[in-house]
Amino acid sequence: MMSPISVVVERIVDIIPSVSESNEKALQLGGAPRARASKALRMANVETRRYWLPGESLPMEIALTAARAATADSALDEIGMVFYTTGSAMALPSIRVMPDPASDLRVRLGLPNAGALSSVGGCAAYLALIGTAVDWVRIHQRKCLVVTFEDYRSAGTEGMTRYLFADACVAILLAPSEEPGVGFHAVDNRVDYRVTSPALIGLDKAMNAALTLDYHGSQPGKLLMQGRVVGNFVRAMVHRSILRHCEEHGISRPDVQMFIPHQANSSLMHELHRQCFPSSELVETIAHRGNTAGASVGVSLCEGLSRKPRGRTRVYMSAFGAGPGIVNAYYIANGHEQVVRAEQASPASAFFALDSKQTKYQSHVSANLIIERPDSRHFVILPEELFDRVDHPRRILVENAAQAEFFATVLQDHCGIYLGGTGGELKKWAERTPKPMGVGCPLHERHMLAAARLLERVQADFPGRSDEAGGSHFAPIDPNLVHKVDPSNVMLGDVTRIGALFSFRARTSTPEIRFDHPSSHVQGLLLTEVARQAMLATAHLVGLPLDWRLTLTQIDIHYHHFATPDVPLDIRCLSSYRVPEYHSNIASEGHERKVWSIVEIHQDGICCAIARLTSVTFREGPS
């Protein structure tokens, strides 16, 4: 009989926001009555809070950096699942517009065969998702990644939330282990709607107890919570839940060495500590990090593991709040967990300096483009002299450094240049070039003339495409992305991304465009509309705010092959808007500029049309 598989933390990454704000500075900025705010800060024991650099940090880029750090030493085929959760006040509107975050992370990490699941929840959501991930690892015996991102503070929240809450991003890589007696032994979700529902204002009691956002009231997207009611709930229910959890799973409370509760209020945490685990070490991060909401248990676990001695450590975690209610977990560390604590710096440089174990880590942004093995990247750039000698399904021929720069800019982390001992111009360029080139090489209009020709060298079968799930029944993308009101007029769906290239599935008809006679092929007007929608969606997906528009000024489309109406189209689009992506803050502010786009329309592996579109961005004003 096989012994049960243990699930351990292989690596945990805490990205520490760069901006630190003292209570004095927070009170000066206002947002709530000063006396009330001061009292709340004293009770919670918040001294400083951390938040993301305003206007420059995008959730997916920070989450991607954490994910890369967590998976840096793992082979891509070892990771079978990506989980992502957030509870930030602006999270749900963002997710409804942007691609599924977990799927986006999966594709950009180069994990085309991994599963992906995104969720939105409150302060207990991350620990609850870890419980789901633990079960997944036990069943599939593969590694999985669990990422949480919170930006309550930098997203512009107001009132007491502005004083108490902070930003954070944590990634945990879970792995199966045959070592007995270690890992997660019990993750238990308990919800009592009768107690939690009064904490939420303006929402139906039991049915909506897991929601924390108001979509129907006067302030859509605003976090609705009564702190006093939540405090009473914690005092009345959480310690009972912990005692019950320990009894049911045979956990000896005196043997627990480290207690990590949700970092909501210092006095509540100390009260739970005295009631449940008085002989253990209480890990407390709220004073110097603030209430990091769903990420707080991950932030505290990272700090606790970074200072523990080698050897087994019994850790008990408890998260509570709106969402899953109460989540308790018991974890026995094996002493081999790798801890990465990295402070966010300027997104332009994307450098993260570590303070753990005197080790330095840099994101892939600063990695060299040169690779040692051709099969280490999904796409490999090759000079002419090596092209016929290297067997790779997605090899790309380059004749000079300018072409290599273009492909590196477009494909970013998914490509590398293999030189095989050769030198010359390409080697000199690659050695002085950081990766991905998306950081420092804007796509200028001069690239447009050659872009369509060069993109033909990039094989058009993207990781993450699902032919089985695509078909003609795929769900359309958000109508706002293509400036439509009626979803039936949206022709695009099934979006995936590789570097700066976006791909979509497209329908071959729309009720918006009708013809006076049937046709055996897809009319050119429909293909033109597909290209226009791809241009719009790509610009918004890389950061153009939805209250900004693109005015089409020129289109040049070349038709190469008939497309039939009964087979969906495959579209890929490259837009010059906001490449490099880390270069400026126009994702949050918008920017008036000329944008060019290249759209390829494929069907059954054949390129049917290529369009070059030029447009100008502008902010939509009152009519």
Side-chain angles (χ1 to χ4, degrees):
M1 187 175 186
M2 293 182 61
S3 59
I5 295 294
S6 301
V7 180
V8 299
V9 175
E10 182 170 297
R11 178 173 287 190
I12 180 170
V13 178
D14 174 18
I15 304 295
I16 303 171
S18 60
V19 182
S20 178
E21 183 182 69
S22 66
N23 287 346
E24 181 180 358
K25 179 64 178 296
L27 291 170
Q28 288 175 354
L29 295 174
R34 187 181 181 94
R36 182 182 168 213
S38 298
K39 180 181 178 181
L41 289 171
R42 287 195 305 271
M43 292 179 62
N45 192 33
V46 175
E47 297 175 3
T48 60
R49 76 279 300 133
R50 290 270 189 163
Y51 63 95
W52 306 117
L53 204 60
E56 294 187 342
S57 298
L58 298 175
M60 289 313 300
E61 305 310 331
I62 297 170
L64 184 63
T65 299
R68 285 174 179 153
T71 59
D73 294 334
S74 297
L76 297 182
D77 58 359
E78 293 180 324
I79 304 168
M81 189 70 181
V82 177
F83 294 94
Y84 179 96
T85 185
T86 183
S88 302
M90 300 303 292
L92 279 173
S94 300
I95 286 178
R96 291 196 299 181
V97 171
M98 299 298 287
D100 170 34
S103 295
D104 196 20
L105 282 177
R106 175 197 65 182
V107 171
R108 297 178 71 180
L109 287 170
L111 305 171
N113 298 316
L117 175 66
S118 298
S119 68
V120 177
C123 296
Y126 190 43
L127 194 54
L129 196 60
I130 287 176
T132 302
V134 167
D135 291 339
W136 189 94
V137 173
R138 285 202 180 105
I139 293 170
H140 297 278
Q141 298 185 24
R142 296 179 68 190
K143 297 179 183 180
C144 80
L145 180 69
V146 191
V147 180
T148 183
F149 177 88
E150 302 289 7
D151 62 346
Y152 282 96
R153 171 61 185 79
S154 57
T157 52
E158 299 176 353
M160 295 308 301
T161 303
R162 194 219 173 288
Y163 294 105
L164 299 176
F165 282 78
D167 300 346
C169 182
V170 178
I172 295 179
L173 183 66
L174 298 176
S177 172
E178 296 183 357
E179 182 180 355
V182 298
F184 284 93
H185 285 255
V187 183
D188 191 18
N189 296 0
R190 292 298 175 97
V191 179
D192 190 333
Y193 287 129
R194 293 169 299 171
V195 178
T196 59
S197 59
L200 305 172
I201 309 170
L203 302 173
D204 294 337
K205 292 181 180 178
M207 290 294 291
N208 295 323
L211 299 178
T212 59
L213 299 178
D214 174 19
Y215 275 109
H216 309 290
S218 59
Q219 295 175 295
K222 183 177 175 60
L223 181 70
L224 301 178
M225 185 175 294
Q226 289 181 342
R228 182 175 298 178
V229 178
V230 173
N232 292 338
F233 160 63
V234 172
R235 289 188 173 90
M237 296 300 298
V238 174
H239 77 280
R240 291 187 175 91
S241 177
I242 292 174
L243 297 178
R244 179 175 57 186
H245 178 248
C246 290
E247 181 180 353
E248 289 179 354
H249 294 281
I251 300 169
S252 173
R253 290 189 289 118
D255 292 338
V256 171
Q257 299 162 280
M258 186 181 294
F259 177 46
I260 300 176
H262 168 50
Q263 307 286 309
N265 182 293
S266 182
S267 62
L268 292 177
M269 289 189 290
H270 282 272
E271 189 173 329
L272 286 173
H273 184 233
R274 288 193 301 270
Q275 291 173 321
C276 302
F277 307 103
S279 61
S280 68
E281 173 192 2
L282 173 64
V283 179
E284 189 172 356
T285 58
I286 190 172
H288 60 278
R289 293 291 295 272
N291 182 347
T292 52
S296 75
V297 169
V299 168
S300 302
L301 178 63
C302 196
E303 180 160 317
L305 292 177
S306 69
R307 66 191 190 210
K308 71 175 179 62
R310 286 292 179 181
R312 295 192 177 186
T313 303
R314 295 175 176 83
V315 182
Y316 194 94
M317 293 168 274
S318 182
F320 40 84
I326 306 171
V327 183
N328 298 314
Y330 183 52
Y331 177 71
I332 300 179
N334 60 10
H336 301 298
E337 293 85 359
Q338 300 176 53
V339 178
V340 176
R341 303 179 69 208
E343 182 161 343
Q344 176 208 25
S346 167
S349 64
F351 175 78
F352 295 85
L354 301 194
D355 59 9
S356 174
K357 300 181 181 178
Q358 305 301 313
T359 306
K360 288 189 175 181
Y361 169 81
Q362 288 182 310
S363 72
H364 286 202
V365 172
S366 299
N368 198 278
L369 267 170
I370 300 175
I371 55 178
E372 298 297 326
R373 299 190 346 263
D375 60 356
S376 64
R377 292 290 186 275
H378 192 72
F379 294 94
V380 59
I381 298 172
L382 296 167
E384 288 182 278
E385 57 266 36
L386 292 179
F387 187 76
D388 292 330
R389 291 157 42 192
V390 174
D391 184 19
H392 191 285
R394 294 172 183 83
R395 55 185 180 171
I396 300 172
L397 170 68
V398 293
E399 294 143 9
N400 49 53
Q403 292 182 3
E405 182 180 63
F406 172 80
F407 287 118
T409 300
V410 171
L411 298 173
Q412 298 177 6
D413 293 335
H414 301 274
C415 77
I417 183 167
Y418 179 69
L419 298 174
T422 61
E425 176 196 11
L426 278 176
K427 183 178 181 181
K428 292 179 182 178
W429 168 80
E431 287 178 339
R432 67 174 184 266
T433 301
K435 178 182 180 297
M437 275 301 300
V439 172
C441 178
L443 290 175
H444 298 291
E445 190 170 7
R446 59 184 168 83
H447 290 111
M448 183 179 180
L449 300 176
R453 178 176 55 83
L454 290 175
L455 283 179
E456 292 177 0
R457 304 183 190 181
V458 180
Q459 187 168 322
D461 56 338
F462 283 67
R465 299 296 294 169
S466 175
D467 291 332
E468 295 81 5
S472 58
H473 304 292
F474 54 84
I477 61 175
D478 191 302
N480 291 309
L481 294 175
V482 292
H483 304 175
K484 298 294 182 185
V485 176
D486 186 350
S488 66
N489 293 326
V490 178
M491 300 186 72
L492 305 180
D494 196 17
V495 58
T496 58
R497 177 180 183 175
I498 293 293
L501 279 174
F502 281 80
S503 65
F504 307 86
R505 275 289 167 92
R507 308 181 194 280
T508 56
S509 64
T510 170
E512 198 174 25
I513 300 176
R514 299 182 182 276
F515 299 91
D516 67 352
H517 63 278
S519 175
S520 60
H521 64 271
V522 181
Q523 291 91 334
L525 187 60
L526 289 169
L527 297 182
T528 302
E529 173 62 10
V530 166
R532 190 191 72 87
Q533 290 194 18
M535 172 198 74
L536 295 172
T538 300
H540 285 303
L541 289 171
V542 297
L544 181 67
L546 288 176
D547 60 347
W548 282 65
R549 293 291 183 257
L550 289 91
T551 294
L552 186 63
T553 58
Q554 182 176 339
I555 182 168
D556 179 18
I557 185 166
H558 291 244
Y559 302 100
H560 300 289
H561 196 278
F562 283 119
T564 59
D566 56 338
V567 179
L569 304 170
D570 285 302
I571 313 300
R572 70 175 178 181
C573 180
L574 172 65
S575 172
S576 67
Y577 184 78
R578 211 172 159 270
V579 175
E581 287 191 61
Y582 306 86
H583 189 62
S584 67
N585 62 353
I586 57 177
S588 59
E589 296 180 2
H591 189 67
E592 293 184 7
R593 62 185 299 179
K594 188 175 182 180
V595 177
W596 60 261
S597 306
I598 301 293
V599 179
E600 294 180 343
I601 301 175
H602 296 252
Q603 189 179 65
D604 285 338
I606 299 172
C607 183
C608 300
I610 298 176
R612 294 196 296 264
L613 304 96
T614 306
S615 57
V616 176
T617 61
F618 67 98
R619 186 163 194 164
E620 189 174 46
S623 56

